[in-house]
Amino acid sequence: MNIVLIGLNHKTAPVEVREKFSFPEALLGNYLTQMLASPLVTEGLILSTCNRVEICATTDNIPECFDYLSQFLYENQKQGPSIPFKQFVQYLYYYSSVDAVSHLFRVSSSLDSMVVGEPQISGQLKEAFDYAMINKSTGVILNKLFKKAISVAKRIRSQTKISENAVSVSYAAVGLAKKIFGDLTGKTVLLVGAGEMSELAARHLINNGVKNVMVTNRNFQRAVELAREFNGTSIKFDDLEAEFPEADIVICSTGAPYYLIHCEMVESAIASRKNRPIFLVDISVPRNIDPKINALENVFLYNIDDLQSVIEANLKERQKEAEKAELIVSEEVETMDRWLKSLNVVPTIIAIREKVEAIRKLEVEKTIAKWRTEISEEQKEAIENLSVNIINKILHFPLSALKAEAHQSHGPQVIQTTRKIFNLEEEKKASSDPGADREPSDGSLSGLRDSTKNQ
């Protein structure tokens, strides 16, 4: 059984293509059922986010399964102008076996994300796995794979600093505020302007302990609405100077083409605050805060370019942490690969045991039949136990060696040779003959599959 993965993402396809192939959450169950209707797919899962659509599946036939999943994805694109299939497949990437495992672990730990270290993808992958579990579209292999992918993401977050440095303007503002004040608990933030970026920064500040939010805007009704969202206070724009000293943090983002906050206003505020520091963030372009105030004592002013510099420095730090994360991924891929290879040898081990057990049972029955009533039930049981112990001791070493060799690069050849030695291939063919009324001797993998899938 092989793992395959196909998909398209922000690196391989533009947004106008990606948006056509996203899967609505409410219909995900239907899509999974449709996908698993093919005999080529034994287990399947769909991950659909704004930046990627990926299908992970298990199959016995990698090339045909790739063709089928490509066609499945293409046929389920959203209505609208379609793109030719030949053009569509150029946006796709294909992974199988250990490469698919490696790709998935990199996705789960955000190493393949647009912003390395962003935490959302781990939650999105877990949600996709939950949907697959609810719809019983996964079995032993994908359950193991996705649980491992989630644990790899957790390990990387706990053992590296890949998510610690802010890489967005709003998060960068929070990081700088923490450096200035240490603890943000109980601090007051003043939003000058009610734009989306100010709102986002305010939310991050509240999540980090800021208690009071004041909002002022030329459109006072908008200030009232935004203040209500934060249980804050709306201030009329004409009262900005009077309320200014109450703010520890000021985030300014308006469309005004001139300075709204001048040196005199900040100087007066610092005096009223008895020199307690003020942190100002000017996101506006053109700037709305006079840059000269940065020369004042206990005043810390950052504009959009300053924040961008912080973000770029933090991105470099994340890249260093990403290199550590890649090593963890390689280590975990190796562990997963060993487990997958152990599955390959299971059918052979079961077939050997079944064959040897059949021989043992037949020989014991023939022996006991010769003696008929001359031996007691206790003696029959002793012969039975003796034969079982002999078989177990004979098989112990070769089967252990077979398991160990299956993990090596030449594992498939060892398994094939073993099957020839025990004549298992001939018996497999015989069991597959039309009319054969018995279970195949190497059906252990189907036994490993989640029995609930077909219910």
Side-chain angles (χ1 to χ4, degrees):
M1 194 62 62
N2 299 287
I3 297 172
V4 293
L5 187 149
I6 79 163
L8 50 84
N9 64 19
H10 57 283
K11 297 176 182 174
T12 64
V15 65
E16 57 267 28
V17 173
R18 297 201 305 274
E19 65 190 5
K20 291 180 69 65
F21 296 95
S22 63
F23 289 84
E25 188 178 291
L27 300 176
L28 212 48
N30 294 339
Y31 287 118
L32 288 168
T33 302
Q34 181 187 341
M35 181 172 68
L36 266 70
S38 167
L40 288 166
V41 179
T42 49
E43 300 179 37
L45 182 148
I46 298 172
L47 172 66
S48 181
T49 73
C50 59
N51 277 335
R52 70 180 65 242
V53 176
E54 296 189 348
I55 299 175
C56 189
T58 58
T59 183
D60 283 326
N61 191 325
I62 294 176
E64 288 189 18
C65 192
F66 275 151
D67 290 343
Y68 167 72
L69 293 178
S70 302
Q71 197 67 41
F72 171 80
L73 198 53
Y74 184 74
E75 289 175 356
N76 283 296
Q77 65 179 298
K78 291 178 180 173
Q79 290 183 346
S82 179
I83 58 175
F85 185 74
K86 282 187 178 179
Q87 181 185 346
F88 161 69
V89 294
Q90 292 176 1
Y91 295 119
L92 295 177
Y93 43 82
Y94 299 85
Y95 295 107
S96 63
S97 305
V98 72
D99 292 333
V101 174
S102 178
H103 174 78
L104 185 66
F105 287 0
R106 294 188 76 254
V107 168
S108 70
S109 51
S110 79
L111 292 171
D112 196 55
S113 295
M114 184 177 287
V115 178
V116 172
E118 58 89 8
Q120 289 88 354
I121 186 62
S122 179
Q124 290 166 331
L125 187 134
K126 186 174 182 308
E127 285 177 9
F129 181 43
D130 288 342
Y131 273 111
M133 292 280 282
I134 290 169
N135 288 281
K136 300 176 180 175
S137 68
T138 57
V140 170
I141 295 176
L142 291 195
N143 286 346
K144 174 85 173 181
L145 177 63
F146 278 83
K147 285 177 183 174
K148 191 69 175 173
I150 293 167
S151 73
V152 169
K154 287 181 181 174
R155 183 184 168 192
I156 286 174
R157 289 193 183 284
S158 65
Q159 295 185 8
T160 72
K161 297 178 181 176
I162 198 166
S163 303
E164 288 191 5
N165 296 305
V167 291
S168 69
V169 168
S170 51
Y171 266 121
V174 174
L176 289 170
K178 282 183 174 178
K179 285 184 179 177
I180 293 167
F181 296 107
D183 185 3
L184 300 183
T185 304
K187 299 298 180 189
T188 296
V189 60
L190 168 62
L191 305 183
V192 182
E196 185 179 348
M197 204 172 289
S198 295
E199 182 180 345
L200 197 57
R203 291 191 189 284
H204 293 323
L205 287 165
I206 290 170
N207 290 337
N208 282 271
V210 165
K211 185 178 180 182
N212 304 310
V213 177
M214 299 188 298
V215 183
T216 186
N217 195 55
R218 287 196 185 280
N219 181 337
F220 184 62
Q221 184 55 37
R222 174 63 185 134
V224 170
E225 291 170 2
L226 188 56
R228 191 180 297 132
E229 286 186 30
F230 298 124
N231 287 324
T233 306
S234 52
I235 298 170
K236 290 187 175 176
F237 204 74
D238 291 341
D239 295 334
L240 171 61
E241 186 165 354
E243 299 293 338
F244 197 84
E246 299 299 321
D248 302 295
I249 302 166
V250 178
I251 297 175
C252 190
S253 177
T254 81
Y258 47 78
Y259 298 147
L260 296 172
I261 299 173
H262 302 273
C263 280
E264 294 76 13
M265 185 191 297
V266 179
E267 224 168 3
S268 173
I270 285 291
S272 299
R273 291 170 58 83
K274 298 180 179 175
N275 291 319
R276 282 185 293 124
I278 299 180
F279 171 47
L280 301 102
V281 179
D282 189 358
I283 304 173
S284 315
V285 179
R287 289 176 291 178
N288 290 165
I289 301 177
D290 188 344
K292 292 178 183 173
I293 70 167
N294 220 5
L296 299 175
E297 289 288 330
N298 296 316
V299 176
F300 302 89
L301 170 63
Y302 287 82
N303 61 36
I304 189 73
D305 283 355
D306 296 329
L307 293 178
Q308 194 58 44
S309 298
V310 171
I311 290 168
E312 287 172 6
N314 288 345
L315 280 171
K316 289 180 181 174
E317 286 300 314
R318 283 197 176 192
Q319 201 53 47
K320 289 180 185 173
E321 296 301 312
E323 293 172 8
K324 298 177 187 174
E326 293 284 6
L327 293 176
I328 294 174
V329 167
S330 298
E331 188 182 308
E332 296 288 358
V333 167
E334 197 175 321
T335 302
M336 188 70 196
D337 189 39
R338 279 200 298 272
W339 183 80
L340 289 170
K341 284 176 177 172
S342 72
L343 290 185
N344 292 335
V345 77
V346 168
T348 299
I349 290 175
I350 291 176
I352 291 172
R353 284 202 168 277
E354 286 179 345
K355 180 168 186 174
V356 172
E357 171 62 14
I359 295 170
R360 181 200 68 79
K361 197 172 180 181
L362 181 63
E363 294 302 318
V364 167
E365 286 174 354
K366 283 161 63 176
T367 301
I368 291 176
K370 287 179 185 175
W371 289 329
R372 297 184 181 177
T373 57
E374 296 175 14
I375 60 173
S376 65
E377 288 300 319
E378 189 176 322
Q379 289 170 322
K380 290 179 184 176
E381 186 177 347
I383 292 172
E384 185 83 17
N385 291 338
L386 175 66
S387 64
V388 169
N389 289 338
I390 289 172
I391 294 300
N392 284 340
K393 288 189 176 181
I394 289 174
L395 288 181
H396 174 72
F397 181 77
L399 292 186
S400 297
L402 182 59
K403 285 181 186 175
E405 292 300 318
H407 296 157
Q408 306 302 318
S409 58
H410 57 272
Q413 289 78 19
V414 172
I415 293 171
Q416 190 177 15
T417 303
T418 303
R419 296 186 71 86
K420 283 182 181 177
I421 291 172
F422 282 87
N423 198 29
L424 299 179
E425 293 301 329
E426 291 302 317
E427 293 184 3
K428 181 181 176 182
K429 288 177 186 175
S431 69
S432 302
D433 283 347
D437 189 21
R438 60 189 176 91
E439 292 293 325
S441 60
D442 63 341
S444 62
L445 266 186
S446 59
L448 285 170
R449 181 179 161 190
D450 189 344
S451 60
T452 60
K453 180 183 167 187
N454 288 331
Q455 289 178 357

